[in-house]
Amino acid sequence: MRGEALRVDVHTHILPEKLPDLDARYGCEGFVGLEHHCPGKARMMLGGNCFREIEANSWSPERRIEECDRDGVDVQVLSTVPVMFAYWARARHAWDLARLLNDHIAEIVRDHPRRFVGLASLPLQDPDLAIQELERSVQQLGLAGVQIGTHVNGRNLDDADLFPVLSRAAELGAAVFVHPWDMLARERMPKYWLPWLVGMPTETALAIGSVIFGGVLERLPELRIAFAHGGGSFPAILGRMEHGFRVRPDLVAVDNPRPPADYLGQFYLDSLVHDPVVLRQLIDLVTVDRIALGSDYPFPLGESPAGALIDSMADLAPQQRARMLGGTALEFLGLASAAFEES
Amino acid sequence: MRGEALRVDVHTHILPEKLPDLDARYGCEGFVGLEHHCPGKARMMLGGNCFREIEANSWSPERRIEECDRDGVDVQVLSTVPVMFAYWARARHAWDLARLLNDHIAEIVRDHPRRFVGLASLPLQDPDLAIQELERSVQQLGLAGVQIGTHVNGRNLDDADLFPVLSRAAELGAAVFVHPWDMLARERMPKYWLPWLVGMPTETALAIGSVIFGGVLERLPELRIAFAHGGGSFPAILGRMEHGFRVRPDLVAVDNPRPPADYLGQFYLDSLVHDPVVLRQLIDLVTVDRIALGSDYPFPLGESPAGALIDSMADLAPQQRARMLGGTALEFLGLASAAFEES
């Protein structure tokens, strides 16, 4: 450990090095397979096509620790790659897959308890199974919480069926990290990586709007919930949401009586915005106490090294920097820094 | 006129007081009708449902001038309500409707040349007809430019068929105002006015991304183009676009070799962001020279009185304020302030 503030990266993705043939396991196509076509590299295959080429840092804890040591990252929060959510699949298949992924992450965390924290996946298409796996992940596997998608088969996070899962997470003190996936309006985004550049931030803004307008945050004030990519488009459109709430309460304030800005400070955002002006804006909106370093490691749309943007902002006070680099993540995760210090 | 900077509102909508029965005129359903159900009020009807209730300030030039005088607005730029675009209709019907709307706006401008400037609608589903109507609108009707949607039947603004229209606008010196309409992913936004609060800003960000990544701005450096609602989500995701361009040029830089931030300053934005932090961010991004007062008058999601946000920002220098309140609009429109001064 370095003699500085603890650096905790709340947004990193990991896969098992070897995945079973899931299409065969479940008798159904559409699951990701891994093809290790040369040493240290693999292709994530989806329906016969290469979805993404990955390297050993996508699966190897040792390689990740090397890169963390190189980059000064003390702790990585591990979650699956969102394409693995499989909310579209039969619930028992997604449940089986979630258990497989969660067991894998839990094993890595057990092997390296000072370097990794884990978030579970849940079969959200079946809230009962999701709650069962949430309880197992937190109570038996010792994971700190869950990563969920911005929607479940088109149903946003205000969906009544999802509420019991979020409510149980709040009861258990499990952190909920919301990550965009299965981006909306793909037919409108055929080129230029637009589903990732425009679709993902829209998903996240839609998720924040849904938990606010749907009254989820109002009903679950204890829920610790964080949104990836600094909330996506949210900072640009909060003013529009707020104004819309005021001028058309008949349309907007139908399920919750309080305006969106009232909830600033009640949810967390990661720092992955690639823009010091936007990070400054987020600090003004939710304070450094609600912003946690997130890098999307090890993927190219992420930030490398993790924390580079926070480090680059010379006008931040040391305690502001420390809070965003690690303190906020620990609070979000419900963990104490002592857990990661040399004994 | 007041003894201050000219106040030009680049973003206002108007309809004729009386619309013919368009469904009957074109033998096809889906066009807007107006029902004047009580004095000074009307319902915009669409397929038998009330799309929006409007008041006399949606059609009466006299009423608008009264409200402008009350609010200190010198000039309104008139454009139709985007639901009138009718890009979905048969081209000859949309062409007929565009001529009807454009003739109406031109008449108001002729009657009140110091208070109104007009933007035309175009039947963009047929680029040849669109160019014909663009030429007529600018050369015969004296309109300052056009208002176009963020897409034409799902095709974004980088679509090759649209390029000749934009190219002709650049040649003619016609201003192009881009307004969100027919919002994407309606099935994901069933409540809380989300198509307006999240969908519209996404449409606009997608439009900006399309003209940048598609090389439209690169090929048409003389085009004067503006985007509504301060560019929508764009300011929050520019950093992500820029980073994506750098790390995956194979996906993003396929039609244009220059990164997005290179085009800051080459397009205009209106000021309708309902948030001083975002307006300040836009000023930092594109300077006051590219931000023009826009209010969305007379609709409730707009700003009333027009310019309230700019007026509220005490840290702006008087010349910055004046530029955004009127100077930028005049430059965008290709007009001189003398046209609006008392003779």
Side-chain angles (χ1 to χ4, degrees):
Chain A
M1 298 291 158
R2 305 178 313 163
E4 302 174 15
L6 202 69
R7 195 170 286 231
V8 182
D9 185 348
V10 82
H11 180 174
T12 84
H13 301 292
I14 194 166
L15 286 172
E17 179 170 2
K18 296 200 167 71
L19 278 175
D21 181 338
L22 298 172
D23 284 356
R25 184 177 177 112
Y26 304 129
C28 165
E29 290 194 355
F31 293 92
V32 168
L34 280 185
E35 281 185 10
H36 289 269
H37 59 291
C38 67
K41 293 198 176 186
R43 296 193 185 101
M44 297 176 70
M45 302 298 293
L46 198 52
N49 298 313
C50 179
F51 169 78
R52 187 179 290 171
E53 184 158 314
I54 59 177
E55 302 190 5
N57 54 8
S58 286
W59 64 78
S60 162
E62 294 72 24
R63 175 70 181 281
R64 294 172 77 102
I65 289 172
E66 284 173 25
E67 296 190 358
C68 282
D69 288 344
R70 177 197 69 196
D71 295 343
V73 173
D74 299 296
V75 181
Q76 278 189 338
V77 180
L78 307 176
S79 56
T80 195
V81 182
V83 71
M84 305 299 287
F85 286 153
Y87 299 149
W88 53 270
R90 288 187 58 190
R92 299 194 79 81
H93 297 161
W95 187 34
D96 179 80
L97 178 55
R99 283 178 295 175
L100 185 157
L101 296 170
N102 298 341
D103 287 344
H104 169 253
I105 286 180
E107 185 185 350
I108 295 173
V109 173
R110 268 196 303 274
D111 289 345
H112 308 277
R114 285 207 289 268
R115 304 308 297 269
F116 297 117
V117 172
L119 298 178
S121 302
L122 302 178
L124 287 176
Q125 61 268 67
D126 186 319
D128 291 335
L129 291 181
I131 288 174
Q132 198 170 320
E133 181 59 9
L134 165 64
E135 292 172 345
R136 188 185 79 95
S137 297
V138 173
Q139 296 174 325
Q140 295 179 34
L141 298 183
L143 299 181
V146 296
Q147 176 187 234
I148 68 172
T150 42
H151 69 95
V152 179
N153 300 326
R155 291 175 292 132
N156 293 327
L157 297 187
D158 60 312
D159 189 84
D161 287 347
L162 294 174
F163 187 76
V165 183
L166 296 172
S167 177
R168 189 73 184 116
E171 285 170 4
L172 293 170
V176 176
F177 184 67
V178 180
H179 196 294
W181 88 298
D182 186 23
M183 284 73 85
L184 78 189
R186 293 294 281 261
E187 77 286 358
R188 288 289 310 282
M189 307 186 190
K191 300 178 82 173
Y192 315 131
W193 217 12
L194 288 170
W196 272 256
L197 304 185
V198 177
M200 279 193 161
T202 304
E203 282 289 340
T204 308
L206 200 48
I208 297 175
S210 297
V211 297
I212 291 175
F213 295 133
V216 175
L217 296 186
E218 180 66 22
R219 286 176 284 160
L220 297 176
E222 302 304 315
L223 179 68
R224 299 199 309 276
I225 189 168
F227 297 88
H229 310 135
S233 305
F234 177 73
I237 64 178
L238 169 62
R240 191 169 175 86
M241 286 181 169
E242 191 76 6
H243 184 71
F245 183 93
R246 276 201 307 272
V247 298
R248 291 300 301 269
D250 58 311
L251 298 174
V252 186
V254 288
D255 288 335
N256 191 55
R258 291 172 57 205
D262 273 23
Y263 298 92
L264 294 172
Q266 199 181 317
F267 54 85
Y268 298 87
L269 303 171
D270 79 15
S271 64
L272 189 55
V273 294
H274 304 289
D275 188 333
V277 175
V278 175
L279 187 55
R280 168 56 65 189
Q281 181 184 5
L282 294 181
I283 292 171
D284 292 342
L285 282 177
V286 302
T287 81
V288 294
D289 289 339
R290 294 295 174 270
I291 301 172
L293 165 60
S295 78
D296 210 2
Y297 174 101
F299 298 131
L301 199 44
E303 176 180 85
S304 179
L309 179 60
I310 295 171
D311 289 337
S312 76
M313 290 171 63
D315 58 334
L316 293 172
Q319 62 271 30
Q320 289 185 302
R321 201 183 304 270
R323 174 72 194 190
M324 291 194 289
L325 289 173
T328 300
L330 293 176
E331 180 184 293
F332 166 62
L333 296 163
L335 299 171
S337 63
F340 306 100
E341 284 160 6
E342 303 279 4
S343 57
Chain B
M1 299 285 160
R2 305 180 313 164
E4 302 175 12
L6 202 69
R7 194 170 286 232
V8 182
D9 185 348
V10 81
H11 180 175
T12 83
H13 301 293
I14 194 166
L15 287 172
E17 178 171 1
K18 297 201 167 70
L19 279 175
D21 181 339
L22 298 172
D23 285 356
R25 184 179 178 112
Y26 305 130
C28 165
E29 289 193 357
F31 293 91
V32 168
L34 279 186
E35 281 185 9
H36 288 267
H37 59 293
C38 68
K41 293 197 176 188
R43 295 193 185 102
M44 298 175 69
M45 302 299 292
L46 199 52
N49 299 311
C50 178
F51 169 77
R52 186 179 292 171
E53 184 159 314
I54 59 177
E55 302 189 6
N57 55 8
S58 285
W59 63 77
S60 162
E62 293 72 25
R63 176 72 181 278
R64 295 172 76 103
I65 289 172
E66 282 171 29
E67 297 191 357
C68 283
D69 288 344
R70 177 195 70 195
D71 295 343
V73 172
D74 299 294
V75 181
Q76 279 189 338
V77 180
L78 307 176
S79 56
T80 195
V81 183
V83 72
M84 305 298 288
F85 286 154
Y87 299 149
W88 54 270
R90 287 187 59 190
R92 298 193 81 79
H93 297 161
W95 186 34
D96 178 80
L97 178 55
R99 282 178 295 174
L100 185 157
L101 296 170
N102 297 342
D103 287 343
H104 168 253
I105 287 180
E107 185 185 350
I108 294 174
V109 173
R110 266 196 304 273
D111 290 344
H112 307 278
R114 284 205 290 265
R115 304 308 297 269
F116 297 119
V117 172
L119 298 178
S121 301
L122 302 178
L124 287 175
Q125 60 269 65
D126 185 320
D128 291 335
L129 292 182
I131 288 174
Q132 199 171 322
E133 182 59 10
L134 165 65
E135 292 172 344
R136 187 185 81 96
S137 297
V138 173
Q139 296 175 326
Q140 295 178 34
L141 299 182
L143 299 180
V146 296
Q147 176 187 233
I148 67 173
T150 42
H151 69 93
V152 178
N153 301 324
R155 292 176 292 131
N156 292 327
L157 297 188
D158 60 311
D159 189 85
D161 287 347
L162 294 174
F163 187 77
V165 183
L166 297 172
S167 177
R168 188 73 182 116
E171 285 171 3
L172 292 170
V176 176
F177 184 68
V178 180
H179 196 294
W181 89 297
D182 186 25
M183 284 75 84
L184 78 189
R186 293 294 282 260
E187 76 287 356
R188 287 291 308 285
M189 307 186 189
K191 299 177 83 173
Y192 315 131
W193 215 13
L194 288 170
W196 272 256
L197 303 185
V198 176
M200 278 193 163
T202 305
E203 282 289 342
T204 307
L206 199 48
I208 296 175
S210 296
V211 296
I212 290 175
F213 295 134
V216 175
L217 296 186
E218 180 66 21
R219 285 176 284 159
L220 297 177
E222 302 304 316
L223 180 67
R224 298 199 310 275
I225 189 168
F227 297 88
H229 310 134
S233 306
F234 178 74
I237 64 178
L238 169 62
R240 191 168 174 88
M241 286 181 168
E242 191 77 8
H243 185 71
F245 183 94
R246 277 200 306 274
V247 298
R248 290 302 300 270
D250 57 313
L251 298 174
V252 186
V254 288
D255 288 335
N256 192 55
R258 292 170 59 204
D262 273 23
Y263 298 92
L264 294 173
Q266 199 181 318
F267 54 86
Y268 298 86
L269 303 171
D270 79 16
S271 64
L272 188 55
V273 294
H274 304 289
D275 188 332
V277 175
V278 175
L279 187 56
R280 166 57 65 190
Q281 180 185 6
L282 295 181
I283 293 170
D284 292 343
L285 282 177
V286 302
T287 82
V288 294
D289 289 340
R290 293 295 175 272
I291 300 173
L293 166 61
S295 78
D296 211 1
Y297 175 101
F299 298 131
L301 199 42
E303 176 180 84
S304 179
L309 179 61
I310 294 170
D311 288 336
S312 75
M313 292 172 65
D315 58 334
L316 293 172
Q319 64 272 28
Q320 288 184 303
R321 201 183 304 270
R323 175 71 194 190
M324 291 194 289
L325 289 174
T328 301
L330 293 175
E331 180 185 293
F332 166 62
L333 296 163
L335 299 172
S337 63
F340 306 100
E341 286 159 6
E342 302 277 3
S343 55

